[in-house]
C-alpha cells in the first residue's frame, strides 16, 4: 500500500485567518483526492474532492492539486472555532475503489 | 440528506467471542466498505464490496473477518473470534460509484474487546 503523508500538527490559527493543510502521496497512479473532516469521536465527513490539477473552490474551502509534485492541499479561509477538528487527506488507490487515508492534521482555531 | 446507518453504536464483547457489526448503506449506492480506526491512529481500510463480492481486502482482513450483504439493504462485518487488538471504531461507508465518488461514512461502532 502506497503512503499518504500529513503533518500531524496541531496547526493553530487565530479566528478569521487562513488555515493551510498539506498532504503528499506516493502512488503516481492515483487520480482522485479527498479531504475529510473528523471531529473527536465522530466519523469522517467529506468536505472536498479534487481530480484535476489546479484549484477547486467551495465556499470557504479551496483544494489544490499538483499531480507532478504529488501534493494536495486544503485552504480554509475565515477560519472559525467550529473548524477545529482533524483534517484527513484521502487518496483513491487500487482496483477496489479503496481510499487510503493520511494520519490527519489537527487544526485548532483560537477565538 | 441520505445517511449510512450503523448499529450498535457501542459493543463490548469478551475475547474469543463472535461479533456482527451491522450497516445500512445509502439505498442507491453500489459500493460498500468497512474501515477501522484504533484510538489515536489512522483510518485503515479493511474491505470493499461490490456486486455481491469482495473487490479488495487488506492484510488486516484475515480469515477471522467476513462480510455479507444478506438482503437488499444490510451490509454486515463479522469477526469470528475477537482479540484484544480488534478493539477499535469500525466505520461502514458507501459510494455511488468508483473513482471520483467520495464515500459517505456511517457514525461508527465502537468495539471493545475485554
Amino acid at each position: 500500500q502506497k503512503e499518504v503523508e500529513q503533518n500531524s500538527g496541531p496547526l493553530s490559527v487565530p479566528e478569521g485567518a487562513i488555515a493551510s493543510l498539506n498532504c503528499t502521496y506516493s502512488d503516481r497512479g492515483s487520480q482522485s483526492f479527498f479531504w475529510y473532516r473528523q471531529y473527536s469521536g465522530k466519523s469522517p465527513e467529506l468536505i472536498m474532492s479534487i481530480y484535476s490539477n489546479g484549484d477547486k473552490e467551495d465556499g470557504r474551502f479551496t483544494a489544490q492539486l499538483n499531480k507532478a509534485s504529488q501534493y494536495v492541499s486544503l485552504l480554509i479561509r475565515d477560519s472559525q472555532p467550529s473548524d477545529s477538528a482533524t483534517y484527513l487527506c484521502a487518496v483513491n488507490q487500487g482496483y477496489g475503489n479503496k481510499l487510503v487515508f493520511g494520519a490527519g492534521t489537527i487544526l485548532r482555531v483560537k477565538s | 440528506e441520505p445517511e449510512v446507518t450503523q448499529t450498535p453504536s457501542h459493543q463490548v464483547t469478551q475475547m474469543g467471542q463472535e461479533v456482527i457489526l451491522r450497516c445500512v448503506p445509502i439505498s442507491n449506492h453500489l459500493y460498500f466498505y468497512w474501515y477501522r480506526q484504533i484510538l489515536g491512529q489512522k483510518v485503515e481500510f479493511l474491505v470493499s464490496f461490490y456486486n455481491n463480492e469482495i473487490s479488495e481486502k487488506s492484510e488486516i482482513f484475515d480469515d477471522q473477518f467476513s462480510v455479507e450483504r444478506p438482503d437488499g439493504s444490510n451490509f454486515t462485518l463479522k469477526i469470528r473470534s475477537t482479540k484484544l487488538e480488534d478493539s477499535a471504531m469500525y466505520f461502514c461507508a458507501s459510494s455511488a460509484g468508483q473513482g471520483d465518488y467520495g464515500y459517505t461514512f456511517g457514525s461508527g461502532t465502537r468495539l471493545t474487546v475485554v
Side-chain angles (χ1 to χ4, degrees):
Chain A
Q1 175 172 293
K2 309 271 179 89
E3 296 297 322
V4 177
E5 301 289 340
Q6 295 181 256
N7 188 322
S8 63
L11 172 66
S12 292
V13 299
E15 184 175 356
I18 296 174
S20 178
L21 305 160
N22 305 315
C23 170
T24 58
Y25 61 95
S26 60
D27 184 1
R28 283 201 169 273
S30 296
Q31 297 295 321
S32 305
F33 308 88
F34 304 88
W35 284 99
Y36 283 82
R37 177 175 61 199
Q38 186 177 31
Y39 293 111
S40 181
K42 302 295 186 183
S43 61
E45 174 193 5
L46 181 64
I47 301 173
M48 293 276 299
S49 58
I50 187 165
Y51 324 115
S52 304
N53 280 326
D55 294 1
K56 179 181 178 184
E57 188 174 314
D58 184 359
R60 295 187 297 114
F61 300 98
T62 299
Q64 299 174 317
L65 174 60
N66 184 325
K67 290 185 181 178
S69 300
Q70 295 175 247
Y71 177 89
V72 194
S73 65
L74 179 70
L75 300 178
I76 306 174
R77 287 181 298 282
D78 188 25
S79 296
Q80 301 297 308
S82 57
D83 294 327
S84 297
T86 299
Y87 287 80
L88 308 177
C89 174
V91 177
N92 185 281
Q93 287 184 9
Y95 47 86
N97 204 37
K98 174 177 72 179
L99 285 187
V100 176
F101 284 82
T105 299
I106 298 169
L107 174 66
R108 294 189 181 140
V109 181
K110 298 175 291 187
S111 57
Chain B
E1 188 170 328
E3 59 181 32
V4 176
T5 305
Q6 287 188 247
T7 54
S9 57
H10 192 186
Q11 172 108 33
V12 181
T13 189
Q14 290 206 325
M15 193 168 50
Q17 295 296 304
E18 174 182 288
V19 295
I20 297 176
L21 309 183
R22 303 181 191 279
C23 171
V24 179
I26 293 173
S27 61
N28 63 345
H29 283 187
L30 302 175
Y31 296 82
F32 314 115
Y33 315 89
W34 284 100
Y35 280 73
R36 78 172 186 190
Q37 187 174 32
I38 295 170
L39 189 62
Q41 297 188 24
K42 284 186 185 185
V43 177
E44 298 177 288
F45 171 76
L46 293 178
V47 66
S48 58
F49 191 87
Y50 169 70
N51 200 25
N52 282 319
E53 60 183 24
I54 290 173
S55 308
E56 189 173 356
K57 59 184 180 180
S58 71
E59 291 176 354
I60 302 168
F61 195 89
D62 62 20
D63 291 345
Q64 293 301 309
F65 290 85
S66 62
V67 289
E68 196 175 38
R69 187 156 163 83
D71 52 43
S73 60
N74 291 284
F75 180 50
T76 62
L77 174 69
K78 182 193 291 186
I79 309 175
R80 287 190 185 79
S81 178
T82 50
K83 308 184 186 88
L84 294 176
E85 54 265 37
D86 293 327
S87 295
M89 183 74 98
Y90 287 79
F91 294 113
C92 174
S94 67
S95 67
Q98 287 189 302
D100 298 350
Y101 293 83
Y103 297 177
T104 301
F105 282 87
S107 56
T109 294
R110 180 166 298 285
L111 177 66
T112 303
V113 182
V114 298

